[in-house]
Amino acid sequence: FWYHEARQLIRGNTAIARAWGLHMLALVPVIVWIWGVCAISPLVYAFAFAYAGTALILLRSYAEHRANERIGARTVIVETCPAMALLFLNNNLHAVHHARPGLPWYRLPKAYNEHRDAVLSNNGGYLIGGYRHLFTQHLFAAKEPVPYPLRRIAPALERGTNTPNR
């Protein structure tokens, strides 16, 4: 990631430069708040909050979707403990959210429980038996292939001779 970003900046990619500039500007009030108001050390913030928070959201994101020809079969149900469900605002019931996007997050469990068989039928049975199961099954084994399997990448990109702009 960093290599790609640096190369794009060196090549004068203005979209990347603008994105990083806006990111740096947005960091100013966050840093002022963290250091000045909360008196949290930058290292503590980076590891205890930013890194840990990113790890949790990536765990959820990792589990939520998969490549599948059928759109309805791309989103997951993770049957997890109430604490993890609350942490992710019931997004572990992602297939229910996709089926009924207007439903408030706190009503997703009831909708899932009432229509579990239909939900699992509609999402192709894409069910994970909790985040612990996800961890034990995929800590050292890919959940899915890294390259997106349903779309062919241009041959130049496969060879690494061309980098797409964001």
Side-chain angles (χ1 to χ4, degrees), residues 62 132-143:
Y62 175 75
R132 180 179 298 166
H133 176 79
L134 180 72
F135 182 78
T136 58
Q137 294 297 307
H138 301 290
L139 178 62
F140 297 110
K143 182 169 133 301

Side-chain angles (χ1 to χ4, degrees), residues 5-159:
E5 295 294 290
R7 284 188 59 166
Q8 291 299 311
L9 289 169
I10 290 167
R11 291 179 178 169
N13 185 322
T14 57
I16 298 286
R18 185 173 35 258
W20 277 108
L22 289 171
H23 180 71
M24 295 301 168
L25 282 174
L27 281 177
V28 171
V30 173
I31 291 169
V32 167
W33 180 263
I34 292 165
W35 293 348
V37 177
C38 300
I40 297 174
S41 133
L43 286 175
V44 169
Y45 176 77
F47 290 103
F49 296 97
Y51 183 79
T54 301
L56 279 172
I57 201 68
L58 288 175
L59 169 67
R60 191 203 69 170
S61 178
Y62 175 75
E64 282 178 4
H65 299 96
R66 68 174 173 182
N68 195 293
E69 296 276 341
R70 218 177 94 236
I71 292 172
R74 294 179 184 171
T75 53
V76 73
I77 291 294
V78 181
E79 292 183 338
T80 192
C81 68
M84 290 296 282
L86 179 62
L87 179 66
F88 295 140
L89 297 179
N90 291 321
N91 221 17
N92 56 297
L93 304 175
H94 209 74
V96 180
H97 164 70
H98 275 261
R100 299 187 58 196
L103 193 64
W105 69 269
Y106 54 86
R107 292 197 177 142
L108 292 173
K110 182 178 181 194
Y112 175 62
N113 291 332
E114 289 175 355
H115 306 286
R116 184 180 187 275
D117 292 339
V119 169
L120 292 176
S121 175
N122 288 337
N123 84 339
Y126 189 20
L127 173 71
I128 297 174
Y131 291 100
R132 180 179 298 166
H133 176 79
L134 180 72
F135 182 78
T136 58
Q137 294 297 307
H138 301 290
L139 178 62
F140 297 110
K143 182 169 133 301
E144 296 167 356
V146 175
Y148 187 67
L150 302 179
R151 181 182 65 169
R152 187 76 185 126
I153 299 173
L157 290 177
E158 286 181 338
R159 291 190 306 272

